[in-house]
Amino acid sequence: MLWVKVLHILFVIAWFAGLFYLPRLYVNLAQAADPTTYDTLLGMARRLYRFMTPLAILALAFGLYLWLGYGLGRGQGWMHVKLLLVLLLIVYHLACRHYLQAFARRANAHAHRFYRFFNEIPVLILLLVLVLVVVKPF
């Protein structure tokens, strides 16, 4: 079970690396005036999203295996909140896809400042999850 935990943590870290970088690409895309730069950034964003989606699936799969195997969280409030935050992270990942598709259609509706704030959401979720897992406040 410890190897599963190692794999879960590894894939969570890798997924978060993508979640931290992709919105930063969106900031640059929203500011790009040159079509060549735009196309380069769009290609980078597409490849990153394609790469990070399997990482997310693996992180979630190993996490589910741990949750079912250890029986963690049954009757523990911190785990229920953590699972809610994981659900929010999945929604965030899907929102990244939505914005990527808008950039691909050249139909972005947001300024670069929006993506700067959007970029901070996974940082806050990660902080909350870490507090819940380490401190187990309730």
Side-chain angles (χ1 to χ4, degrees), residues 1 12 43 47 52 54 57-58 79 116 122-123 136:
M1 200 64 96
V12 167
R47 287 187 296 278
M52 63 191 245
I57 292 167
L58 288 167
M79 180 57 84
R116 289 181 194 278
V123 175
K136 295 178 179 67

Side-chain angles (χ1 to χ4, degrees), residues 40-58:
T40 300
L41 291 168
L42 182 60
M44 291 170 62
R46 283 178 169 155
R47 287 187 296 278
L48 180 57
Y49 190 83
R50 272 197 316 263
F51 183 73
M52 63 191 245
T53 298
L55 297 171
I57 292 167
L58 288 167

Side-chain angles (χ1 to χ4, degrees), residues 47-130:
R47 287 187 296 278
L48 180 57
Y49 190 83
R50 272 197 316 263
F51 183 73
M52 63 191 245
T53 298
L55 297 171
I57 292 167
L58 288 167
L60 294 168
F62 284 115
L64 179 63
Y65 185 87
L66 287 169
W67 184 58
L68 295 174
Y70 279 124
L72 289 176
R74 290 185 175 84
Q76 298 177 354
W78 68 269
M79 180 57 84
H80 297 175
V81 176
K82 179 192 171 205
L83 293 173
L84 176 64
L85 291 169
V86 170
L87 182 62
L88 289 174
L89 203 58
I90 293 167
V91 170
Y92 182 87
H93 186 99
L94 295 174
C96 285
R97 182 181 67 186
H98 169 77
Y99 294 131
L100 179 59
Q101 291 169 342
F103 279 116
R105 291 189 316 271
R106 306 280 202 270
N108 173 44
H110 301 287
H112 67 93
R113 271 190 269 195
F114 169 82
Y115 294 109
R116 289 181 194 278
F117 287 108
F118 182 71
N119 191 33
E120 301 306 322
I121 294 171
V123 175
L124 296 174
I125 292 174
L126 179 59
L127 174 63
L128 292 171
V129 168
L130 285 173

Side-chain angles (χ1 to χ4, degrees), residues 4-70:
V4 175
K5 198 181 281 190
V6 166
L7 290 171
H8 172 63
I9 293 168
L10 172 71
F11 288 118
V12 167
I13 291 168
W15 181 25
F16 266 94
L19 290 174
F20 291 156
Y21 188 53
L22 186 61
R24 183 63 206 163
L25 288 173
Y26 294 168
V27 170
N28 295 332
L29 271 164
Q31 292 177 313
D34 174 36
T36 304
T37 303
Y38 189 94
D39 290 339
T40 300
L41 291 168
L42 182 60
M44 291 170 62
R46 283 178 169 155
R47 287 187 296 278
L48 180 57
Y49 190 83
R50 272 197 316 263
F51 183 73
M52 63 191 245
T53 298
L55 297 171
I57 292 167
L58 288 167
L60 294 168
F62 284 115
L64 179 63
Y65 185 87
L66 287 169
W67 184 58
L68 295 174
Y70 279 124

